[in-house]
Amino acid sequence: MKILGIESSCDETAAAVVEDGRRLLSNVINSQIDIHAVYGGVVPEVAARSHLEVVNPVINQALSDANLTWEDIDAIAVTYAPGLIGSLLIGTLAARTLAVLKNKPLYPIHHVESHVYSNFLNEHVPEFPMLALIVSGGHSQLMLFRDHGDYEMLGQTQDDAIGEAFDKVAKIIGLPYPGGPAIAKAALNSNPLAYHLPKAKLTGAYDFSFSGLKTAVLRAVQREVGVDLNFPSTGLAGLLSDSQRDNFAASFQRTAVETLVDKTLKAFRDFNPKSVVVAGGVAANLELRRELSERIPINIEYAPIGLCTDNAVMTATLGYFNSLKKQPVDPFELEVNPSLSMIE
Ligand code: KG4
Ligand code: ZN
């Protein structure tokens, strides 16, 4: 079964074809990072306009890269929730229209759930029960999957998502958007013990909180450069030396990674899953991968780095597993949902 996936929930317009939820036939991603970098973050209206310009060429490219025509496609899977409303609308409307015109079944895909499925193209398919650490720009959550579509939320962030914290800290210390890769690079040959940053203490055993960590970086930078609490955060980066900046990147990354791994390890011990997967943009972080592999006593097979950030391979892959269990939706009825959680 060949499924065309379409993903446009944030700032990547992506289309891909995956066969039987296992074999990647094509993977096209048009990233808008350069367009948004000048603003230091994603501008929703600009994102929607860019999706509109490229959605059709991206879909056509996914078909031609796979050497397929519409005849060969068995179904369409599209991200309809959650995300930026204008962005979601473009991909969803394209998918709805194509489902009608080409007479294909249409499967709606939850973006956060789909991130987990970037791990299903690995050599070994993850076994259930599967513990999933989902860490992206918009989400940080620990989930226990008993089967496809059968999952429980163990914990989630109480404020900022971890990717958002990487992006905000990068801004404070003067690194470009997106902050995750920039911080990882700056941290490479720097001292992760240079600055002590606190870890949040929460009542929920598997919950996260990253807003305090971001503020702790802000206060530590203010102290380091000798200004008071009221000094604007936008003026701080210019006062840091390159080595101070890189040491802040390394210290922040160490604290953030340790927090994620502490909670994952606790959940692993409490629920004894058969597999552990990491998903979402922050799963591309090599320090996170290194520390997880070191501390979690089970073999973790990581998704290719390029499938951690937003793509449509994961959309098509989840589309396949959904098609085995669920009915397709009416393409005339499908509405986007910008804030839908994985757990109702
Ligand atoms: O999954 P994703 O592409 O979009 C959302 O669904 O949010 O994740 C984007 C997030 C950004 O916050 C970015 O800074 C972060 O993933 N990210 C990283 C790395 N690569 C991307 N964070 C840490 N280390 C990385 N190497
Ligand atoms: Zn994402």
Side-chain angles (χ1 to χ4, degrees):
M1 181 156 179
K2 297 187 186 71
I3 300 205
L4 170 75
I6 301 174
E7 150 69 44
S8 72
S9 64
C10 188
D11 60 344
E12 264 93 27
T13 321
V17 183
V18 176
E19 187 171 11
D20 296 338
R22 267 312 284 137
R23 277 179 299 284
L24 191 163
L25 302 185
S26 66
N27 174 21
V28 181
I29 304 173
N30 181 77
S31 172
Q32 305 174 5
I33 283 180
D34 294 348
I35 303 176
H36 299 292
V38 282
Y39 305 104
V42 178
V43 183
E45 283 75 13
V46 176
R49 224 165 289 170
S50 170
H51 284 305
L52 188 57
E53 279 168 20
V54 302
V55 69
N56 285 328
V58 164
I59 292 169
N60 291 336
Q61 186 74 41
L63 288 175
S64 76
D65 284 2
N67 270 323
L68 299 174
T69 65
W70 277 104
E71 302 265 287
D72 307 311
I73 297 296
D74 297 296
I76 300 174
V78 66
T79 307
Y80 79 111
L84 300 170
I85 186 163
S87 292
L88 286 167
L89 273 170
I90 307 299
T92 304
L93 277 172
R96 287 174 54 183
T97 310
L98 288 165
V100 174
L101 285 176
K102 309 289 183 189
N103 195 22
K104 307 288 177 190
L106 179 64
Y107 293 93
I109 298 297
H110 191 284
H111 177 77
V112 183
E113 185 181 1
S114 72
H115 265 297
V116 172
Y117 283 77
S118 54
N119 292 283
F120 280 74
L121 289 97
N122 286 350
E123 191 179 340
H124 303 99
V125 177
E127 281 182 80
F128 297 108
M130 166 182 82
L131 178 65
L133 172 67
I134 310 178
V135 278
S136 72
H139 295 83
S140 308
Q141 52 200 51
L142 266 168
M143 315 244 356
L144 188 69
F145 282 67
R146 300 191 195 282
D147 198 350
H148 296 291
D150 176 6
Y151 42 72
E152 176 187 344
M153 176 99 75
L154 302 180
Q156 60 183 321
T157 184
Q158 304 299 296
D159 38 62
D160 292 355
I162 179 66
E164 194 180 345
F166 268 91
D167 295 338
K168 286 179 177 169
V169 166
K171 218 169 186 174
I172 294 171
I173 62 177
L175 291 170
Y177 175 85
I183 285 185
K185 192 167 163 222
L188 267 181
N189 294 310
S190 311
N191 179 8
L193 300 171
Y195 302 101
H196 174 76
L197 300 166
K199 289 190 205 164
K201 301 236 174 350
L202 298 164
T203 37
Y206 318 108
D207 282 336
F208 302 105
S209 160
F210 294 107
S211 159
L213 176 57
K214 174 200 64 194
T215 309
V217 172
L218 176 65
R219 297 287 173 251
V221 173
Q222 287 169 329
R223 258 195 318 277
E224 185 75 4
V225 300
V227 297
D228 70 19
L229 298 182
N230 300 318
F231 191 86
S233 64
T234 46
L236 289 169
L239 301 175
L240 284 175
S241 70
D242 287 359
S243 70
Q244 284 172 322
R245 179 197 63 205
D246 294 353
N247 284 340
F248 270 113
S251 302
F252 163 76
Q253 179 175 257
R254 174 183 66 88
T255 312
V257 163
E258 256 176 40
T259 307
L260 292 173
V261 181
D262 287 350
K263 301 277 168 150
T264 310
L265 182 58
K266 171 150 183 54
F268 177 81
R269 286 186 176 139
D270 292 351
F271 294 94
N272 201 21
K274 283 205 173 130
S275 66
V276 175
V277 300
V278 196
V282 183
N285 188 280
L286 297 180
E287 263 312 292
L288 175 61
R289 291 177 174 215
R290 193 190 56 72
E291 190 162 330
L292 279 168
S293 293
E294 200 173 286
R295 293 177 56 200
I296 311 278
I298 193 175
N299 184 40
I300 304 179
E301 205 175 326
Y302 297 95
I305 299 279
L307 294 185
C308 291
T309 42
D310 291 347
N311 64 83
V313 172
M314 60 192 198
T315 319
T317 305
L318 176 54
Y320 170 75
F321 289 104
N322 281 354
S323 75
L324 301 179
K325 285 192 165 179
K326 298 183 185 174
Q327 289 302 313
V329 292
D330 181 345
F332 290 99
E333 298 284 328
L334 180 63
E335 298 283 349
V336 301
N337 189 334
S339 57
L340 185 71
S341 162
M342 270 177 79
I343 304 288
E344 312 275 319

